[in-house]
Amino acid sequence: MTNNHSFVKGSFSEGPAAPRDPVEKRSGFFILFESIIEATARLDGCFSQEVYLEGERLVEKARLTGGVTDERILGLLRSSNGFRQLVHSIGISVKVQDQADEKLYFTFENWGKTSKYETGTKLGIPCPADGSETLLTLDDYEWSVDDDMPGKFSIEFERAGTLATASIMLYLREGYQAPEISAEPPVDYESAAYHEMIKKSLVSRGNNKRLKAAIEKAKRGEDVTIAYIGGSITQGAGAKPIHSACYAYQSYALFKQLFGQDSNGHIHLIKAGVGGTPSELGIIRYERDVLRDGAAEPDIVIVEFAVNDEGDETKGNCYESLVLKALAADNEPAVILLFSVFINDWNLQDRLSPVGSRYDLPMVSVKDAVVEQFRLTKDEGNIISKRQYFYDIYHPTNAGHTVMADCLGYLFRETDRSLPDQEDISLARPPVIGNDFIDTLLLDRNNAAGIATITSGSFSETDADLQMVEMDAQPHGTPQFPNNWMHVSGTDSFIMTIRCKILILVYKDSGSRDFGSAEIRVDGQLAKVADPHLNNWTHCNAMILLNEPFAQAHTIEIRMQSGQEDKRFTILGFGYVR
């Protein structure tokens, strides 16, 4: 492993490989404390655990894990200059079980002002895998004048899938004092108090006819498929290992344990969570990722968009459309609405739960289970703290994912012990928000023939650098929207003629400065400008281009903005309603 193999662009500053200054007397606080980390395969060929710090992430980690409340300290964490003023050194401890000879490398990247990922200081130091502490002293390094803010920590491994326990401590300079944090007792999953907390998650049992039917099929040894669709929490973010510690896999395994027969081979998992995406994209992905283009008929569909749908342009119309699309399947699947929660106790349950009430669906709220007890001390009855539940400001730890799985498990048990409802739910009622997107389908390079007439122009290449998502029980990532159109250079427009009443563009967001903005014209009129730097990380963005009551022929033109013809732009696909 070379010391700068990850950094193909920008400068890399390396300090001494061993600590030179004792830190026993220095005040400090943890950013990670005995956290499980995993070596994930990256596109550059490295295997790493990345800890993002930009925005408020570092501040929230200091609050959550370090217990920091001093606003002066928190303010300094928001910029690279402030970080250097505050922090004397970074202590890194990583323990890889049964692989103490593993070669590890710790990096600290600052985002740059000129070019976010390329002009900031990048620091690195090798560290052992036996749990002993390595010290990265900031004054031992040369720093770029272009530093903007702390970007990320990364721990690189020699092989993918390696699990370790890691702590990262920020030791402070003289004049700054961090609070002392006492260790918390582990979560007691068997306690009566824990089970009472889990019970609070059941918002509504709903009509149980469909869910009981799936449970009875499982008990008879018949094939049963449980599908999950949602955002990064459903993808498994924060869980280590992501494919087997995530709530989706844990609750699927719990269902098998409760109702499966023999080897449980008749119970199947479909996991279709994609990080950073709302139900506006979920409705486009549903046929492909959940129904597998007609190859799968899930018996249970769990929908989790309660913390992702703030970005839904339709404010719930796509969510209700997705729910109805699932419910309307010929095999009459059970649909469960799951409401996860962010560290600030927020979700969109108030907006989305009326959809469940309208169709009498089972609803499970992790927010209802955990938020009230978050405010208590251990002496007052706290069962799991935010430090124990959250991996970062958005995603659960392994313990948090277990809580989510147990909330679903409680619904499964309650349904099993309840008398069956004789009548099925009724879909013949007006929507509470809207159902305009229920018939949305995906259009991409692979299936466009017969649906639309397309001249790709200078959008003729195919982008392979895509958002990677761990689907189903797979530990490796699957590229999202591989059948795309990418512009590399040139001035020719992408032109599509299609008859539809709704059209949604899906395009790639990227942190690379190689990408530029594109103008979208609908029937000759400028409709939208698609900026691939809205979020500045590689993922999928959805944007509504048309939403009309009746279908008619439309011409869509996409071309690079003036002066950005030599930039890249990737059209991942479209969602359309005839």
Side-chain angles (χ1 to χ4, degrees):
M1 177 183 293
T2 59
N3 289 341
N4 63 348
H5 71 284
S6 296
F7 306 109
V8 294
K9 295 181 180 179
S11 60
F12 180 81
S13 179
E14 184 178 355
R20 302 192 318 180
D21 180 50
V23 296
E24 288 83 356
K25 295 182 180 180
R26 288 192 178 277
S27 179
F29 57 87
F30 286 102
I31 296 301
L32 290 183
F33 178 68
E34 296 184 357
S35 298
I36 301 173
I37 63 173
E38 180 181 12
T40 299
R42 308 294 174 185
L43 290 174
D44 60 4
C46 293
F47 314 116
S48 66
Q49 172 68 64
E50 298 183 344
V51 180
Y52 286 92
L53 310 173
E54 64 183 315
E56 290 295 294
R57 292 190 180 195
L58 178 55
V59 171
E60 291 301 330
K61 285 181 179 296
R63 284 197 181 108
L64 177 67
T65 307
V68 177
T69 58
D70 186 334
E71 290 298 330
R72 181 179 61 144
I73 290 177
L74 296 174
L76 290 171
L77 294 174
R78 292 185 171 94
S79 70
S80 294
N81 288 339
F83 188 93
R84 290 173 60 192
Q85 178 183 328
L86 173 70
V87 178
H88 169 271
S89 49
I90 304 172
I92 310 104
S93 306
V94 184
K95 183 171 179 56
V96 180
Q97 281 193 334
D98 304 323
Q99 295 180 37
D101 60 342
E102 175 100 2
K103 294 180 181 178
L104 308 179
Y105 202 78
F106 173 81
T107 62
F108 171 33
E109 294 188 39
N110 290 265
W111 298 155
K113 297 174 185 175
T114 303
S115 178
K116 180 175 178 179
Y117 298 123
E118 295 158 343
T119 60
T121 301
K122 302 176 178 69
L123 315 180
I125 192 168
C127 56
D130 61 3
S132 58
E133 185 178 64
T134 296
L135 194 69
L136 186 153
T137 304
L138 301 193
D139 290 345
D140 290 336
Y141 295 80
E142 295 182 6
W143 292 74
S144 169
V145 296
D146 201 56
D147 286 333
D148 187 14
M149 68 179 69
K152 71 175 180 179
F153 296 143
S154 180
I155 299 171
E156 298 178 12
F157 296 77
E158 290 185 294
R159 56 186 67 85
T162 300
L163 294 176
T165 301
S167 295
I168 298 176
M169 169 77 88
L170 302 185
Y171 291 105
L172 307 183
R173 296 185 186 274
E174 298 298 329
Y176 300 98
Q177 192 72 27
E180 292 186 10
I181 302 296
S182 58
E184 294 180 299
V187 179
D188 185 356
Y189 300 104
E190 302 303 322
S191 69
Y194 178 82
H195 291 296
E196 287 300 315
M197 179 188 76
I198 295 299
K199 288 180 181 179
K200 294 179 181 179
S201 69
L202 190 54
V203 177
S204 172
R205 291 178 174 83
N207 183 301
N208 66 20
K209 182 177 175 62
R210 294 187 177 197
L211 185 53
K212 282 189 77 72
I215 289 172
E216 293 305 314
K217 280 184 68 177
K219 288 180 177 180
R220 293 192 299 268
E222 299 175 24
D223 284 334
V224 171
T225 298
I226 308 177
Y228 300 77
I229 185 167
S232 57
I233 296 176
T234 295
Q235 183 180 337
K240 312 296 177 185
I242 191 171
H243 67 293
S244 60
C246 62
Y247 88 84
Y249 188 89
Q250 286 195 58
S251 57
Y252 152 76
L254 182 56
F255 187 92
K256 289 200 299 180
Q257 176 188 328
L258 291 171
F259 312 120
Q261 300 297 312
D262 300 325
S263 65
N264 298 322
H266 61 292
I267 300 178
H268 313 284
L269 170 69
I270 290 176
K271 178 165 69 74
V274 174
T277 65
S279 54
E280 187 175 330
L281 187 66
I283 189 69
I284 298 172
R285 297 192 295 108
Y286 193 81
E287 295 277 346
R288 181 194 69 184
D289 291 350
V290 175
L291 302 184
R292 305 295 158 94
D293 292 322
E297 286 188 321
D299 300 272
I300 302 170
V301 179
I302 296 166
V303 180
E304 183 271 321
F305 281 109
V307 292
N308 283 72
D309 264 10
E310 184 67 16
D312 170 25
E313 294 175 276
T314 70
K315 302 301 180 186
N317 194 320
C318 279
Y319 181 85
E320 186 168 6
S321 297
L322 189 155
V323 170
L324 288 169
K325 189 181 189 75
L327 287 169
D330 291 340
N331 66 317
E332 298 182 345
V335 174
I336 300 168
L337 306 188
L338 177 62
F339 307 126
S340 48
V341 66
F342 278 167
I343 198 172
N344 61 356
D345 303 337
W346 175 88
N347 70 12
L348 287 168
Q349 185 172 330
D350 289 345
R351 178 203 285 177
L352 304 178
S353 59
V355 173
S357 298
R358 176 60 54 95
Y359 307 105
D360 199 12
L361 303 181
M363 292 187 281
V364 174
S365 171
V366 185
K367 177 182 178 180
D368 286 1
V370 299
V371 165
E372 182 180 348
Q373 61 86 50
F374 277 155
R375 303 186 179 107
L376 305 177
T377 65
K378 293 298 180 185
D379 290 339
E380 292 170 334
N382 174 261
I383 298 149
I384 181 170
S385 68
K386 285 190 174 183
R387 186 181 297 117
Q388 292 170 315
Y389 183 92
F390 287 100
Y391 179 80
D392 54 28
I393 62 177
Y394 305 120
H395 307 113
T397 58
N398 282 9
H401 277 278
T402 297
V403 169
M404 293 185 67
D406 285 344
C407 290
L408 288 169
Y410 181 68
L411 169 64
F412 296 155
R413 290 186 177 95
E414 284 296 292
T415 302
D416 183 43
R417 65 170 61 105
S418 300
L419 293 174
D421 288 315
Q422 298 304 309
E423 299 294 329
D424 192 16
I425 61 174
S426 173
L427 301 182
R429 55 186 65 187
V432 65
I433 303 175
N435 60 4
D436 300 295
F437 296 81
I438 190 171
D439 294 321
T440 301
L441 296 172
L442 170 66
L443 182 156
D444 61 17
R445 183 192 283 265
N446 194 46
N447 70 354
I451 301 171
T453 301
I454 294 175
T455 302
S456 58
S458 56
F459 294 74
S460 57
E461 303 295 323
T462 301
D463 195 342
D465 180 15
L466 302 171
Q467 182 176 4
M468 304 294 287
V469 173
E470 296 83 4
M471 306 290 283
D472 303 338
Q474 299 298 324
H476 58 266
T478 297
Q480 293 299 293
F481 297 93
N483 304 308
N484 55 68
W485 298 269
M486 180 172 68
H487 174 276
V488 175
S489 64
T491 58
D492 294 337
S493 299
F494 173 97
I495 298 175
M496 177 173 73
T497 301
I498 182 172
R499 182 176 178 82
C500 64
K501 63 177 182 178
I502 290 175
L503 188 67
I504 306 172
L505 168 68
V506 185
Y507 67 97
K508 174 181 164 180
D509 193 90
S510 175
S512 170
R513 64 179 177 179
D514 293 337
F515 279 73
S517 297
E519 296 177 349
I520 299 100
R521 284 174 167 76
V522 177
D523 300 328
Q525 300 297 314
L526 179 63
K528 297 282 182 73
V529 174
D531 179 3
H533 299 294
L534 287 177
N535 299 285
N536 267 329
W537 60 283
T538 301
H539 83 299
C540 314
N541 262 328
M543 172 188 287
I544 294 175
L545 303 182
L546 285 167
N547 186 3
E548 299 178 343
F550 304 105
Q552 56 182 317
H554 294 283
T555 299
I556 311 301
E557 179 186 5
I558 301 177
R559 66 186 185 196
M560 300 304 293
Q561 278 197 305
S562 178
Q564 301 196 47
E565 292 84 359
D566 291 332
K567 298 284 188 179
R568 300 185 176 216
F569 186 90
T570 301
I571 303 166
L572 294 172
F574 298 88
Y576 70 98
V577 177
R578 283 292 195 186

